[in-house]
Amino acid sequence: MNYFELFDIPVSLQVDKNTLAKKYFELQKQFHPDFFTQATEHEQSEALEKSSQINKALKVLKNENETIKYVLQLKGLLEEEEKYQLPPEFLMEVMELNEELSANSQQQINDFETEIYEPVKNSIENFSAETTSTVELLKVKEYYYKKKYLQRILDRIDG
């Protein structure tokens, strides 16, 4: 059972946070280990495992980047620890940004992120498990890796 099935929500690259929270609380009422203190050891163990799975799913589905990664993995388009090759021109732009880190860099990176989001905006915002093509998802995959790269620079600025 994947995380979307667990929460009984449609597969999406942008999960509705209100629906997610509502479903989370429903599931926790049903499976939280505190409600199984009088149950058998086996039932307690199952409740603990289910609750843990619910918490992991929540962590992924409430983070847009993790959700994109998860959907791409479900579709067989992204592997854990994959060595993805980003376009050289993107890497050159990022290298220049990285070398010129300043107080203004945060805004430059945010602008750059907006720029790389634009080509995949429609695919992400209107994702459908039935109609979104593999070609569109491969573009989303590239966006995911580009954004991840930019996040590393932002982390350096903040850290």
Side-chain angles (χ1 to χ4, degrees), residues 21 37 66 125:
T37 56
E66 289 299 312
E125 293 177 5

Side-chain angles (χ1 to χ4, degrees), residues 25-39:
F25 288 117
E26 287 173 13
L27 287 168
Q28 282 298 18
K29 280 184 200 172
Q30 192 176 352
F31 295 107
H32 196 279
D34 288 351
F35 299 123
F36 289 83
T37 56
Q38 302 300 315

Side-chain angles (χ1 to χ4, degrees), residues 115-135:
E115 185 181 312
I116 65 171
Y117 180 70
E118 201 53 43
V120 295
K121 179 180 180 183
N122 189 49
S123 298
I124 289 174
E125 293 177 5
N126 301 305
F127 174 80
S128 163
E130 292 79 34
T131 60
T132 302
S133 72
T134 301
V135 170

Side-chain angles (χ1 to χ4, degrees), residues 2 5-6 28-29 32 37 39-40 50 58 67 82 97 113-114 126 128 130-131 135 138 151 154:
N2 71 46
E5 292 167 343
L6 177 64
Q28 282 298 18
K29 280 184 200 172
H32 196 279
T37 56
T40 67
K50 191 75 161 187
L58 177 70
T67 301
E82 181 176 331
L97 265 175
E113 189 175 320
T114 301
N126 301 305
S128 163
E130 292 79 34
T131 60
V135 170
L138 289 172
Q151 187 59 51
L154 285 173

Side-chain angles (χ1 to χ4, degrees), residues 83-91 94 141-150 152:
K83 301 290 183 222
Y84 188 80
Q85 284 297 115
L86 288 165
E89 56 277 359
F90 171 80
L91 295 173
V94 170
K141 178 180 179 177
E142 184 167 298
Y143 163 75
Y144 167 78
Y145 277 104
K146 285 178 177 179
K147 189 170 180 193
K148 194 172 168 180
Y149 216 88
L150 291 175
R152 280 190 223 130

Side-chain angles (χ1 to χ4, degrees), residues 3-23:
Y3 294 162
F4 296 99
E5 292 167 343
L6 177 64
F7 275 77
D8 192 27
I9 57 175
V11 177
S12 174
L13 295 174
Q14 291 184 318
V15 177
D16 179 89
K17 303 295 187 248
N18 292 329
T19 303
L20 185 64
K22 182 179 169 219
K23 295 286 189 172

